[in-house]
Coordinates of all heavy atoms in Angstrom, one line a residue:
M1 N -36.5 3.4 62.6 CA -35.1 3.8 62.4 C -34.2 2.7 62.8 O -34.3 2.1 63.8 CB -34.8 5.1 63.2 CG -33.3 5.5 63.2 SD -33.0 6.8 64.3 CE -31.2 6.9 64.1
K2 N -33.3 2.4 61.9 CA -32.2 1.4 62.3 C -31.0 2.1 62.8 O -30.7 3.2 62.4 CB -31.8 0.6 61.0 CG -32.9 -0.4 60.6 CD -32.3 -1.3 59.6 CE -33.4 -2.3 59.1 NZ -32.8 -3.3 58.2
Y3 N -30.3 1.4 63.7 CA -29.1 2.0 64.2 C -27.9 1.3 63.5 O -27.7 1.4 62.4 CB -29.1 1.8 65.8 CG -30.1 2.7 66.4 CD1 -31.4 2.2 66.7 CD2 -29.9 4.0 66.7 CE1 -32.4 3.0 67.3 CE2 -30.8 4.8 67.2 CZ -32.1 4.3 67.6 OH -33.0 5.1 68.1
L4 N -27.2 0.4 64.2 CA -26.1 -0.3 63.6 C -26.6 -1.7 63.3 O -27.4 -2.3 64.0 CB -24.9 -0.3 64.5 CG -24.3 1.1 64.8 CD1 -23.2 0.9 65.9 CD2 -23.8 1.8 63.6
K5 N -26.0 -2.3 62.3 CA -26.4 -3.7 61.9 C -25.7 -4.7 62.8 O -24.5 -4.6 63.1 CB -26.0 -4.0 60.5 CG -27.0 -3.4 59.4 CD -26.6 -3.9 58.0 CE -27.6 -3.5 57.0 NZ -28.9 -4.1 57.3
N6 N -26.5 -5.7 63.3 CA -26.0 -6.8 64.0 C -25.3 -6.4 65.3 O -24.3 -7.1 65.7 CB -25.1 -7.7 63.1 CG -25.8 -8.1 61.9 OD1 -27.0 -8.5 61.9 ND2 -25.2 -8.0 60.7
V7 N -25.6 -5.4 66.0 CA -25.0 -5.0 67.2 C -25.9 -5.1 68.4 O -25.5 -5.1 69.6 CB -24.3 -3.6 67.2 CG1 -23.3 -3.5 66.1 CG2 -25.4 -2.5 67.0
A8 N -27.2 -5.1 68.2 CA -28.2 -5.1 69.3 C -28.0 -6.4 70.1 O -27.8 -7.5 69.5 CB -29.6 -5.0 68.8
S9 N -28.0 -6.3 71.4 CA -27.8 -7.4 72.3 C -29.1 -8.3 72.5 O -29.1 -9.2 73.3 CB -27.3 -7.0 73.6 OG -28.2 -6.1 74.2
L10 N -30.1 -7.9 71.8 CA -31.4 -8.5 71.9 C -31.4 -10.1 71.7 O -30.9 -10.5 70.7 CB -32.4 -7.9 71.0 CG -33.8 -8.5 71.0 CD1 -34.6 -8.2 72.3 CD2 -34.6 -7.9 69.8
V11 N -31.8 -10.8 72.7 CA -31.9 -12.3 72.6 C -33.3 -12.7 72.9 O -33.8 -12.4 74.0 CB -30.9 -13.0 73.5 CG1 -31.0 -14.5 73.5 CG2 -29.4 -12.6 73.2
Y12 N -33.9 -13.5 72.1 CA -35.3 -13.9 72.2 C -35.3 -15.5 72.2 O -34.8 -16.1 71.2 CB -36.2 -13.4 71.1 CG -37.5 -14.0 71.0 CD1 -38.4 -14.0 72.1 CD2 -37.9 -14.6 69.9 CE1 -39.6 -14.6 72.0 CE2 -39.2 -15.2 69.8 CZ -40.0 -15.2 70.8 OH -41.2 -15.8 70.7
E13 N -35.9 -16.1 73.3 CA -36.0 -17.5 73.3 C -37.5 -17.9 73.1 O -38.3 -17.8 74.0 CB -35.5 -18.1 74.6 CG -34.0 -17.8 74.8 CD -33.5 -18.4 76.2 OE1 -33.4 -19.6 76.3 OE2 -33.3 -17.5 77.1
A14 N -37.8 -18.3 71.9 CA -39.2 -18.6 71.5 C -39.8 -19.7 72.4 O -41.0 -19.6 72.7 CB -39.3 -18.9 70.1
E15 N -39.0 -20.6 72.8 CA -39.6 -21.8 73.6 C -40.1 -21.3 75.0 O -40.9 -22.0 75.6 CB -38.6 -22.9 73.8 CG -37.3 -22.5 74.5 CD -36.2 -21.9 73.7 OE1 -36.5 -21.5 72.5 OE2 -35.1 -21.7 74.2
K16 N -39.7 -20.1 75.4 CA -40.2 -19.6 76.7 C -41.3 -18.7 76.6 O -42.0 -18.3 77.5 CB -39.0 -18.9 77.4 CG -37.9 -19.7 77.9 CD -36.8 -18.9 78.6 CE -35.7 -19.8 79.1 NZ -34.6 -19.0 79.8
C17 N -41.6 -18.3 75.3 CA -42.7 -17.4 75.1 C -44.1 -18.0 75.3 O -44.4 -19.1 74.7 CB -42.6 -16.8 73.7 SG -43.9 -15.7 73.2
T18 N -45.0 -17.3 76.0 CA -46.4 -17.8 76.3 C -47.3 -17.1 75.3 O -48.5 -17.4 75.4 CB -46.8 -17.6 77.7 OG1 -46.8 -16.1 77.9 CG2 -45.8 -18.2 78.7
G19 N -46.9 -16.1 74.6 CA -47.7 -15.4 73.7 C -48.6 -14.3 74.3 O -49.7 -14.0 73.9
C20 N -48.1 -13.8 75.5 CA -48.9 -12.8 76.2 C -49.1 -11.5 75.4 O -50.0 -10.7 75.7 CB -48.4 -12.5 77.6 SG -46.8 -11.6 77.6
G21 N -48.1 -11.2 74.6 CA -48.2 -10.0 73.7 C -47.6 -8.7 74.4 O -47.7 -7.7 73.8
R22 N -47.1 -8.8 75.5 CA -46.7 -7.6 76.3 C -45.5 -7.0 75.5 O -45.4 -5.7 75.5 CB -46.3 -8.0 77.7 CG -46.0 -6.9 78.6 CD -47.2 -6.2 79.0 NE -46.9 -5.1 79.9 CZ -47.3 -3.9 79.8 NH1 -48.1 -3.6 78.8 NH2 -46.9 -2.9 80.6
C23 N -44.6 -7.8 75.0 CA -43.5 -7.1 74.3 C -43.9 -6.4 73.1 O -43.3 -5.3 72.8 CB -42.5 -8.2 73.9 SG -43.2 -9.6 72.9
V24 N -44.9 -6.8 72.4 CA -45.4 -6.1 71.3 C -46.0 -4.7 71.7 O -45.8 -3.7 71.0 CB -46.6 -6.9 70.5 CG1 -47.1 -6.1 69.4 CG2 -46.0 -8.2 70.1
E25 N -46.7 -4.7 72.9 CA -47.2 -3.5 73.4 C -46.2 -2.5 73.8 O -46.4 -1.3 73.6 CB -48.1 -3.8 74.6 CG -49.3 -4.6 74.3 CD -50.0 -5.1 75.6 OE1 -49.7 -4.6 76.7 OE2 -50.9 -6.0 75.5
V26 N -45.1 -2.9 74.4 CA -44.2 -2.0 75.0 C -43.0 -1.5 74.1 O -42.4 -0.5 74.4 CB -43.6 -2.5 76.3 CG1 -44.7 -2.9 77.3 CG2 -42.7 -3.8 76.1
C27 N -42.8 -2.3 73.0 CA -41.6 -1.9 72.2 C -41.9 -0.7 71.4 O -42.8 -0.7 70.6 CB -41.2 -3.1 71.3 SG -39.9 -2.7 70.2
P28 N -41.1 0.4 71.6 CA -41.4 1.6 70.8 C -41.0 1.6 69.4 O -41.3 2.5 68.6 CB -40.6 2.6 71.6 CG -39.5 1.9 72.2 CD -40.0 0.5 72.5
H29 N -40.3 0.5 69.0 CA -39.8 0.5 67.6 C -40.4 -0.7 66.8 O -39.9 -1.0 65.7 CB -38.3 0.4 67.6 CG -37.6 1.7 67.8 ND1 -36.3 1.9 67.5 CD2 -38.1 2.8 68.3 CE1 -36.0 3.2 67.8 NE2 -37.1 3.8 68.3
G30 N -41.4 -1.3 67.3 CA -42.1 -2.4 66.5 C -41.2 -3.6 66.2 O -41.4 -4.2 65.2
V31 N -40.3 -3.9 67.1 CA -39.4 -5.0 66.9 C -40.1 -6.3 67.0 O -39.8 -7.3 66.3 CB -38.2 -5.0 67.9 CG1 -37.4 -6.2 67.7 CG2 -37.4 -3.7 67.6
F32 N -41.1 -6.4 67.8 CA -41.9 -7.6 68.1 C -43.2 -7.6 67.4 O -43.9 -6.6 67.3 CB -42.1 -7.9 69.5 CG -40.8 -8.4 70.3 CD1 -40.1 -7.4 70.9 CD2 -40.4 -9.7 70.2 CE1 -38.9 -7.8 71.6 CE2 -39.2 -10.1 70.8 CZ -38.5 -9.2 71.5
V33 N -43.6 -8.8 66.9 CA -45.0 -9.0 66.3 C -45.5 -10.3 66.8 O -44.6 -11.2 67.3 CB -45.1 -9.0 64.8 CG1 -44.7 -7.6 64.2 CG2 -44.1 -10.1 64.2
M34 N -46.8 -10.6 66.8 CA -47.3 -11.9 67.2 C -47.4 -12.7 65.9 O -47.9 -12.3 64.9 CB -48.6 -11.7 67.8 CG -48.6 -11.0 69.2 SD -47.4 -11.7 70.4 CE -48.2 -13.3 70.6
R35 N -46.9 -13.9 66.0 CA -47.0 -14.9 64.9 C -47.3 -16.3 65.5 O -46.6 -16.8 66.4 CB -45.6 -15.0 64.2 CG -45.1 -13.8 63.5 CD -43.8 -14.1 62.8 NE -43.3 -12.9 62.2 CZ -42.0 -12.5 62.1 NH1 -41.1 -13.3 62.7 NH2 -41.6 -11.5 61.5
D36 N -48.4 -16.8 65.0 CA -48.8 -18.1 65.5 C -48.8 -18.3 67.0 O -48.2 -19.2 67.6 CB -47.9 -19.2 64.9 CG -47.9 -19.3 63.4 OD1 -49.1 -19.0 62.9 OD2 -46.9 -19.5 62.8
K37 N -49.3 -17.3 67.7 CA -49.5 -17.2 69.2 C -48.2 -17.1 69.9 O -48.2 -17.5 71.1 CB -50.3 -18.5 69.6 CG -51.7 -18.5 69.0 CD -52.5 -19.7 69.5 CE -53.9 -19.7 68.9 NZ -54.7 -20.9 69.3
R38 N -47.2 -16.7 69.2 CA -45.9 -16.4 69.9 C -45.4 -15.1 69.4 O -45.7 -14.7 68.3 CB -44.9 -17.5 69.7 CG -45.0 -18.7 70.6 CD -43.8 -19.6 70.3 NE -43.9 -20.8 71.2 CZ -43.1 -21.8 71.1 NH1 -42.1 -21.9 70.2 NH2 -43.2 -22.8 71.9
A39 N -44.4 -14.5 70.1 CA -43.8 -13.3 69.6 C -42.8 -13.7 68.5 O -42.2 -14.8 68.6 CB -43.1 -12.6 70.8
G40 N -42.6 -12.8 67.6 CA -41.6 -13.0 66.6 C -40.9 -11.7 66.4 O -41.4 -10.6 66.8
I41 N -39.6 -11.7 65.9 CA -38.9 -10.5 65.7 C -38.9 -10.1 64.3 O -38.7 -10.9 63.4 CB -37.4 -10.7 66.2 CG1 -37.4 -10.9 67.6 CG2 -36.5 -9.5 65.7 CD1 -36.0 -11.1 68.2
T42 N -39.3 -8.8 64.0 CA -39.3 -8.3 62.7 C -37.9 -8.0 62.1 O -37.5 -8.6 61.1 CB -40.2 -7.0 62.6 OG1 -39.6 -6.0 63.5 CG2 -41.6 -7.2 63.0
D43 N -37.2 -7.2 62.9 CA -35.8 -6.9 62.5 C -35.1 -6.4 63.7 O -35.4 -5.3 64.2 CB -35.8 -5.8 61.4 CG -34.4 -5.5 60.8 OD1 -33.4 -5.9 61.5 OD2 -34.3 -5.0 59.7
A44 N -34.2 -7.2 64.2 CA -33.5 -6.8 65.4 C -32.7 -5.5 65.3 O -32.3 -4.9 66.3 CB -32.6 -8.0 65.9
D45 N -32.4 -5.1 64.1 CA -31.6 -3.9 63.9 C -32.4 -2.7 64.2 O -31.9 -1.6 64.3 CB -31.1 -3.8 62.5 CG -30.0 -4.8 62.2 OD1 -29.3 -5.3 63.1 OD2 -29.8 -5.1 61.0
F46 N -33.7 -2.8 64.4 CA -34.6 -1.7 64.8 C -34.5 -1.5 66.4 O -34.9 -0.5 66.9 CB -36.0 -1.9 64.5 CG -36.3 -1.7 63.0 CD1 -36.8 -2.7 62.2 CD2 -36.2 -0.4 62.5 CE1 -37.1 -2.5 60.9 CE2 -36.5 -0.2 61.1 CZ -36.9 -1.2 60.4
C47 N -33.9 -2.5 67.1 CA -33.8 -2.4 68.5 C -32.9 -1.3 69.0 O -31.7 -1.3 68.5 CB -33.4 -3.7 69.1 SG -33.2 -3.7 70.9
M48 N -33.3 -0.5 69.9 CA -32.5 0.6 70.4 C -32.0 0.2 71.9 O -31.5 1.1 72.6 CB -33.2 1.9 70.4 CG -34.4 2.0 71.2 SD -35.1 3.6 71.2 CE -36.5 3.5 72.4
E49 N -32.3 -1.0 72.3 CA -31.9 -1.5 73.6 C -32.4 -0.7 74.7 O -31.7 -0.4 75.7 CB -30.3 -1.6 73.6 CG -29.8 -2.7 72.6 CD -28.3 -2.9 72.7 OE1 -27.6 -1.9 72.7 OE2 -27.9 -4.0 72.6
C50 N -33.7 -0.3 74.6 CA -34.2 0.4 75.8 C -34.5 -0.5 77.0 O -34.6 0.0 78.1 CB -35.5 1.1 75.3 SG -36.9 0.0 74.9
G51 N -34.7 -1.7 76.7 CA -34.9 -2.7 77.8 C -36.3 -2.9 78.2 O -36.6 -3.8 79.1
A52 N -37.3 -2.2 77.5 CA -38.7 -2.4 77.9 C -39.2 -3.8 77.8 O -39.9 -4.3 78.6 CB -39.5 -1.4 77.1
C53 N -38.8 -4.4 76.7 CA -39.3 -5.8 76.5 C -38.8 -6.8 77.6 O -39.5 -7.6 78.1 CB -38.9 -6.3 75.1 SG -37.2 -6.2 74.7
D54 N -37.5 -6.7 77.8 CA -36.9 -7.5 78.9 C -37.6 -7.3 80.2 O -37.9 -8.2 80.9 CB -35.4 -7.1 79.0 CG -34.6 -8.0 79.9 OD1 -35.2 -8.7 80.7 OD2 -33.4 -8.1 79.7
R55 N -37.8 -6.1 80.6 CA -38.4 -5.7 81.9 C -39.9 -6.2 81.9 O -40.4 -6.5 83.0 CB -38.4 -4.2 82.2 CG -37.0 -3.7 82.5 CD -37.1 -2.3 83.1 NE -37.6 -1.3 82.2 CZ -36.9 -0.7 81.3 NH1 -35.6 -0.9 81.2 NH2 -37.4 0.1 80.4
N56 N -40.5 -6.3 80.8 CA -42.0 -6.6 80.8 C -42.3 -8.1 80.5 O -43.4 -8.5 80.6 CB -42.7 -5.7 79.8 CG -42.9 -4.3 80.4 OD1 -43.8 -4.1 81.2 ND2 -42.0 -3.4 80.1
C57 N -41.3 -8.8 80.1 CA -41.5 -10.3 79.8 C -41.4 -11.0 81.1 O -40.3 -11.2 81.6 CB -40.6 -10.8 78.8 SG -40.9 -12.5 78.4
R58 N -42.5 -11.5 81.6 CA -42.5 -12.2 82.9 C -42.1 -13.6 82.8 O -42.0 -14.4 83.7 CB -43.9 -12.1 83.5 CG -44.4 -10.7 83.9 CD -45.7 -10.8 84.7 NE -46.7 -11.3 83.8 CZ -47.7 -12.2 84.3 NH1 -47.6 -12.7 85.5 NH2 -48.6 -12.6 83.5
F59 N -41.8 -14.1 81.6 CA -41.4 -15.5 81.3 C -40.0 -15.7 80.9 O -39.6 -16.8 80.5 CB -42.4 -16.0 80.3 CG -43.8 -15.8 80.7 CD1 -44.5 -14.7 80.2 CD2 -44.5 -16.7 81.6 CE1 -45.9 -14.5 80.6 CE2 -45.7 -16.5 82.0 CZ -46.5 -15.4 81.5
G60 N -39.2 -14.6 81.0 CA -37.8 -14.7 80.8 C -37.4 -15.1 79.3 O -36.3 -15.6 79.1
A61 N -38.3 -14.7 78.4 CA -38.0 -15.1 77.0 C -37.1 -14.1 76.3 O -36.6 -14.3 75.2 CB -39.3 -15.2 76.2
I62 N -36.9 -12.9 76.9 CA -36.2 -11.8 76.3 C -35.1 -11.3 77.2 O -35.3 -11.1 78.4 CB -37.1 -10.6 75.9 CG1 -38.3 -11.1 75.1 CG2 -36.3 -9.5 75.2 CD1 -39.3 -10.0 74.9
K63 N -33.9 -11.2 76.6 CA -32.8 -10.5 77.3 C -32.2 -9.4 76.5 O -31.9 -9.6 75.3 CB -31.7 -11.6 77.7 CG -32.1 -12.6 78.7 CD -32.4 -12.0 80.0 CE -33.0 -13.0 81.0 NZ -34.1 -12.5 81.7
V64 N -31.9 -8.3 77.1 CA -31.3 -7.1 76.4 C -30.3 -6.5 77.3 O -30.7 -6.2 78.5 CB -32.3 -6.1 75.9 CG1 -31.7 -4.9 75.3 CG2 -33.3 -6.7 75.0
N65 N -29.2 -6.2 76.9 CA -28.2 -5.4 77.7 C -28.6 -3.9 77.5 O -28.1 -3.3 76.5 CB -26.8 -5.6 77.3 CG -26.4 -7.0 77.6 OD1 -26.8 -7.6 78.6 ND2 -25.5 -7.6 76.8
S66 N -29.5 -3.4 78.3 CA -29.9 -2.0 78.1 C -29.0 -1.1 78.9 O -28.3 -1.4 79.8 CB -31.4 -1.8 78.6 OG -31.4 -2.1 80.0
G67 N -29.1 0.2 78.5 CA -28.3 1.2 79.2 C -27.2 1.8 78.3 O -27.3 2.0 77.2
V68 N -26.0 1.8 78.9 CA -24.9 2.5 78.3 C -24.5 1.8 77.0 O -24.0 2.4 76.1 CB -23.7 2.5 79.3 CG1 -22.4 3.0 78.6 CG2 -24.0 3.4 80.5
G69 N -24.7 0.5 76.9 CA -24.3 -0.2 75.7 C -25.2 -0.1 74.5 O -25.0 -0.6 73.5
C70 N -26.3 0.7 74.6 CA -27.3 0.8 73.6 C -26.7 1.4 72.3 O -25.7 2.2 72.3 CB -28.5 1.5 74.0 SG -28.5 3.2 73.9
A71 N -27.3 1.0 71.2 CA -26.8 1.4 69.9 C -26.7 2.9 69.7 O -25.8 3.5 69.2 CB -27.6 0.7 68.8
A72 N -27.8 3.6 70.2 CA -27.8 5.0 70.1 C -26.6 5.7 70.8 O -26.0 6.6 70.4 CB -29.1 5.6 70.7
A73 N -26.3 5.1 72.0 CA -25.2 5.6 72.7 C -23.9 5.4 72.0 O -23.0 6.3 72.0 CB -25.1 5.0 74.1
I74 N -23.8 4.2 71.4 CA -22.5 3.9 70.6 C -22.4 4.9 69.5 O -21.3 5.5 69.3 CB -22.6 2.5 70.1 CG1 -22.5 1.5 71.3 CG2 -21.4 2.2 69.1 CD1 -22.8 0.1 70.8
I75 N -23.4 5.2 68.8 CA -23.4 6.1 67.7 C -23.0 7.5 68.2 O -22.1 8.2 67.6 CB -24.7 6.2 66.9 CG1 -24.9 4.9 66.2 CG2 -24.7 7.4 65.9 CD1 -26.3 4.8 65.6
G76 N -23.6 7.9 69.3 CA -23.3 9.2 69.9 C -21.9 9.3 70.3 O -21.2 10.3 70.0
G77 N -21.3 8.3 70.8 CA -19.9 8.2 71.2 C -19.0 8.3 70.1 O -18.0 9.0 70.1
M78 N -19.4 7.7 69.0 CA -18.6 7.7 67.7 C -18.6 9.1 67.2 O -17.5 9.6 66.7 CB -19.2 6.8 66.7 CG -18.9 5.3 67.0 SD -19.9 4.2 66.0 CE -19.5 4.6 64.4
L79 N -19.7 9.8 67.2 CA -19.8 11.1 66.6 C -19.1 12.2 67.4 O -18.5 13.1 66.9 CB -21.3 11.5 66.5 CG -22.1 10.7 65.4 CD1 -23.6 11.1 65.5 CD2 -21.5 10.9 64.0
T80 N -19.1 12.0 68.7 CA -18.6 13.0 69.6 C -17.1 12.6 70.1 O -16.4 13.5 70.6 CB -19.4 13.2 70.9 OG1 -19.4 12.0 71.6 CG2 -20.8 13.6 70.5
G81 N -16.8 11.4 69.9 CA -15.5 11.0 70.3 C -15.4 10.8 71.9 O -14.4 10.6 72.5
G82 N -16.6 10.8 72.5 CA -16.7 10.7 74.0 C -17.2 9.4 74.4 O -17.3 8.4 73.6
E83 N -17.6 9.2 75.7 CA -18.1 8.0 76.2 C -19.5 7.8 75.7 O -20.3 8.8 75.4 CB -18.2 8.1 77.8 CG -16.8 8.0 78.4 CD -16.2 6.7 78.2 OE1 -16.9 5.7 78.4 OE2 -15.0 6.7 77.9
P84 N -19.9 6.5 75.4 CA -21.3 6.3 75.0 C -22.3 6.4 76.0 O -22.4 5.6 76.9 CB -21.2 4.8 74.5 CG -20.1 4.2 75.3 CD -19.1 5.3 75.5
V85 N -23.0 7.6 76.1 CA -24.0 7.8 77.1 C -25.3 8.3 76.4 O -25.2 9.2 75.5 CB -23.6 8.9 78.1 CG1 -24.7 9.3 79.0 CG2 -22.4 8.4 78.8
C86 N -26.4 7.7 76.7 CA -27.6 8.1 76.0 C -28.8 8.5 76.9 O -29.8 8.9 76.5 CB -28.1 7.0 75.0 SG -28.7 5.5 76.0
G87 N -28.6 8.4 78.2 CA -29.6 8.8 79.2 C -30.5 7.6 79.7 O -31.4 7.8 80.4
C88 N -30.2 6.4 79.2 CA -31.0 5.3 79.6 C -30.9 5.0 81.1 O -31.7 4.3 81.7 CB -30.6 4.0 78.8 SG -31.2 4.1 77.1
D89 N -29.8 5.4 81.7 CA -29.6 5.2 83.1 C -30.4 6.2 83.9 O -30.4 6.1 85.1 CB -28.1 5.3 83.4 CG -27.5 6.6 83.1 OD1 -28.2 7.5 82.6 OD2 -26.3 6.8 83.4
G90 N -31.1 7.1 83.3 CA -31.9 8.0 84.0 C -31.1 9.1 84.7 O -31.7 10.0 85.4
K91 N -29.8 9.2 84.5 CA -29.0 10.2 85.1 C -28.4 11.3 84.2 O -28.0 12.3 84.5 CB -27.8 9.6 85.9 CG -28.1 8.6 86.9 CD -26.9 7.8 87.4 CE -27.2 6.7 88.3 NZ -26.1 5.8 88.5
S92 N -28.4 10.9 82.9 CA -27.6 11.7 81.9 C -28.5 12.5 81.0 O -28.1 12.9 79.9 CB -26.7 10.8 81.1 OG -26.5 9.7 81.7
G93 N -29.8 12.7 81.3 CA -30.7 13.5 80.5 C -31.7 12.7 79.9 O -32.0 11.5 80.3
P94 N -32.4 13.2 78.9 CA -33.5 12.5 78.3 C -33.1 11.1 77.7 O -32.1 11.0 77.1 CB -34.0 13.4 77.1 CG -33.3 14.7 77.4 CD -32.1 14.5 78.2
S95 N -33.9 10.1 77.9 CA -33.7 8.8 77.4 C -34.0 8.7 76.0 O -34.8 9.4 75.4 CB -34.5 7.7 78.2 OG -34.3 6.5 77.6
C96 N -33.3 7.8 75.3 CA -33.6 7.5 73.9 C -34.9 6.7 73.8 O -35.5 6.5 72.8 CB -32.5 6.8 73.2 SG -32.0 5.2 74.0
Ligands
SF4_101 S1 -43.6 -10.6 76.6 FE1 -42.4 -12.5 76.7 S2 -44.0 -14.2 76.9 FE2 -45.1 -12.3 76.3 S3 -45.2 -12.4 74.0 FE3 -43.4 -11.3 74.5 S4 -41.7 -12.8 74.6 FE4 -43.6 -13.9 74.7
SF4_102 S1 -35.1 -3.3 73.9 FE1 -36.6 -1.7 73.4 S2 -36.4 -1.3 71.3 FE2 -35.3 -3.3 71.7 S3 -36.9 -4.8 71.3 FE3 -36.9 -4.4 73.4 S4 -38.6 -2.8 73.7 FE4 -38.0 -2.9 71.5

């Protein structure tokens, strides 16, 4: 599922990638794949900014602003006219 185009905060620095494959394992939306012994991004618009890849990359190759700023929360806020909250902070209900 895609959220909004070109809004995900996902930043990937290929030169820091060791090819461990952890990001491929943990991403629930298949954003990462292995290409030539390094991670590659299929389509950043699939990213829901859950932060799993950032938390699991031990080599600092991935940065994501996870939590309140995630695309799902933005959409929810647009639909309801309220604050963008999706539960990623663990306080507001089920996480996306
Ligand atoms: S977790 Fe980090 S080091 Fe491992 S493959 Fe993904 S980007 Fe590369
Ligand atoms: S933040 Fe979540 S959805 Fe986005 S690339 Fe990382 S693991 Fe995948």
